[in-house]
Amino acid sequence: MEQRIIVQQKQAYAAEVAFNAALKYKRYEEISGEQQINETLYTWIYSEGQICVTYELNGVIKERCI
């Protein structure tokens, strides 16, 4: 159960990073960046009308796009 909570927490942080990235894109036309939350580095990029956030979870690189 604890592992499930960690997965959900990292997914929520990825969504937060995507939201912040959308603001940066809209305000400053930034197309990529990074944000570290609780020792996890979230990297984002804006491409082809979507923002994708990558991060590591249990040694596996995950990507979430909106």
Side-chain angles (χ1 to χ4, degrees), residues 29-60:
E29 297 182 5
E30 291 184 29
I31 60 169
S32 65
E34 298 176 336
Q35 185 174 347
Q36 185 163 346
I37 303 173
N38 293 340
E39 300 180 11
T40 299
L41 183 64
Y42 296 83
T43 304
W44 64 270
I45 187 164
Y46 175 84
S47 179
E48 299 178 12
Q50 67 179 358
I51 295 171
C52 292
V53 178
T54 58
Y55 58 97
E56 183 182 339
L57 178 63
N58 297 328
V60 177

Side-chain angles (χ1 to χ4, degrees), residues 4-42:
R4 184 175 170 186
I5 292 171
I6 291 170
V7 169
Q8 290 175 341
Q9 185 180 45
K10 287 195 175 195
Q11 290 173 342
Y13 286 145
E16 178 183 341
V17 170
F19 175 77
N20 291 336
L23 293 176
K24 288 181 180 182
Y25 174 75
K26 184 175 180 179
R27 291 179 183 163
Y28 311 113
E29 297 182 5
E30 291 184 29
I31 60 169
S32 65
E34 298 176 336
Q35 185 174 347
Q36 185 163 346
I37 303 173
N38 293 340
E39 300 180 11
T40 299
L41 183 64
Y42 296 83

